[in-house]
Amino acid sequence: MESKEPEPSFSSPSLYSSRWWSKDTVAIVTGANKGIGLSMVKRFAELGVTVILTARDTERGLKAVESLMAQGLHVHFFRLDVSDPDSIKTFVSWFRLKFRALDILVNNAAVSFNELDENSVEHAETVIKTNFHGPKLLTEALLPLFRLSPSTSRILNITSRLGHFDKLRNTKIKSIISDEEKLSEEQIDNMVSLFLSNVKQGTWKSQGWPEIWTDYSVSKIALNAYSKLLAKQNQGCGLSVNCYCPGFTQTSMTRGRGTHTADDAAAIGAMLALLPPQELPTGKFYIAHSNLACSKL
């Protein structure tokens, strides 16, 4: 996801001066009972967006909603486990009944079972199912519901620099995934299937897969590739698709370690999701740095 466009200024006091949204603007944030997801829901609600907080655990999701209500913020809640196709179907059916259309989707839900200095692939299937297949299935189920208006609907996939294509050491796979002109959904799915096959065969260490948090990295490479493909397929159709790496953020996944807080990361994420229509790109990969500057890779 390359770009020669100027990067947005995230330090400007008039960050939200070009307000295009209203209370009729509807956003969905997955995996939002804590961390960056919860912080993004809070930011959207503070800015007057109608936002749906989703979480796979109903009790934790409702507690998150209560915490926001205590701050005077109103949000909607519905249980959603993106790793479960049936849960996705139930959620989308509920959404159809409750709302007219969707404007913003933030695919934030993700898992990793490794400590920061570990690299096990014991839970590779669950990681791939949650971090790649889940967001893909949810996105495809919601595509017909996006409000394709002059303000442009938006998908923001929360990803990681570990999912940058350069992390692939297998030159053949890297070449296929990096070929923007020829990239297909089938090729992305084949890459993921090959990785899971290598894991089952015990050969994954010698096949050129990323060396750090391998299963998580592969899941994010697949998500980034799918985002690029989806952006291309919807070019000029009123739907923007971008990726955002929040950087080394203090969340449960990092065991509380990091250079900045979830609120800091979410502030940039919300900005990217709410860029003015005339400044909104598609097919880009943004990354937040330790000084909270944001750039495109």
Side-chain angles (χ1 to χ4, degrees):
M1 295 186 180
E2 304 294 339
S3 174
K4 295 181 180 178
E5 302 166 6
E7 296 167 7
S9 172
F10 294 89
S11 59
S12 170
S14 59
L15 195 62
Y16 296 98
S17 60
S18 301
R19 181 179 179 131
W20 58 268
W21 64 90
S22 69
K23 63 180 179 60
D24 295 324
T25 303
V26 179
I28 295 171
V29 183
T30 68
N33 62 283
K34 61 180 179 179
I36 296 171
L38 177 58
S39 292
M40 287 200 69
V41 168
K42 178 183 176 182
R43 189 65 180 134
F44 282 144
E46 289 173 340
L47 291 167
V49 174
T50 295
V51 57
I52 303 160
L53 183 158
T54 76
R56 62 181 176 180
D57 186 293
T58 300
E59 182 178 354
R60 292 178 181 176
L62 291 175
K63 284 184 178 180
V65 170
E66 290 175 5
S67 72
L68 295 175
M69 289 178 62
Q71 301 173 60
L73 300 173
H74 173 72
V75 303
H76 300 269
F77 170 74
F78 199 86
R79 180 186 177 275
L80 172 61
D81 180 354
V82 299
S83 69
D84 180 0
D86 289 335
S87 180
I88 291 175
K89 290 179 182 178
T90 300
F91 171 75
V92 173
S93 295
W94 169 82
F95 182 88
R96 284 180 180 271
L97 292 174
K98 187 79 174 178
F99 300 93
R100 290 184 177 181
L102 175 62
D103 298 281
I104 303 169
L105 170 62
V106 179
N107 282 310
N108 170 73
V111 296
S112 174
F113 296 89
N114 285 305
E115 296 292 336
L116 290 181
D117 57 350
E118 292 179 345
N119 191 30
S120 167
V121 294
E122 180 182 355
H123 302 284
E125 287 193 16
T126 299
V127 171
I128 295 293
K129 184 185 296 185
T130 305
N131 299 2
F132 169 57
H133 288 305
K136 179 173 177 286
L137 287 174
L138 177 63
T139 297
E140 291 173 348
L142 289 171
L143 276 177
L145 304 180
F146 274 100
R147 191 194 325 266
L148 302 181
S149 66
S151 61
T152 306
S153 295
R154 298 110 191 278
I155 297 174
L156 186 66
N157 290 325
I158 307 302
T159 186
S160 169
R161 72 184 76 193
L162 294 178
H164 196 272
F165 301 158
D166 285 345
K167 301 300 180 182
L168 283 167
R169 296 175 295 117
N170 184 310
T171 55
K172 181 178 179 180
I173 298 175
K174 181 179 177 180
S175 175
I176 293 173
I177 293 299
S178 301
D179 190 337
E180 190 168 342
E181 294 301 316
K182 297 181 181 179
L183 183 66
S184 68
E185 189 173 325
E186 181 181 11
Q187 289 171 327
I188 300 171
D189 289 338
N190 286 344
M191 178 195 71
V192 169
S193 296
L194 177 61
F195 168 66
L196 292 177
S197 176
N198 289 165
V199 168
K200 289 181 179 179
Q201 296 167 0
T203 60
W204 60 276
K205 288 185 178 180
S206 62
Q207 297 302 311
W209 299 108
E211 297 179 308
I212 300 174
W213 274 23
T214 303
D215 53 4
Y216 181 84
S217 295
V218 173
S219 72
K220 293 301 186 178
I221 288 172
L223 180 62
N224 292 344
Y226 173 68
S227 301
K228 182 169 66 173
L229 179 62
L230 191 63
K232 181 180 178 182
Q233 291 172 338
N234 289 275
Q235 187 82 40
C237 297
L239 179 63
S240 167
V241 185
N242 294 302
C243 291
Y244 169 51
C245 169
F248 192 29
T249 309
Q250 298 162 11
T251 65
S252 59
M253 191 176 289
T254 63
R255 305 300 185 262
R257 295 166 60 184
T259 58
H260 49 270
T261 68
D263 283 347
D264 292 331
I268 296 177
M271 168 57 194
L272 291 171
L274 294 172
L275 283 171
Q278 67 273 17
E279 297 178 18
L280 184 66
T282 191
K284 308 305 177 188
F285 183 113
Y286 290 92
I287 184 167
H289 302 287
S290 57
N291 61 356
L292 296 183
C294 186
S295 62
K296 301 190 194 87
L297 285 181

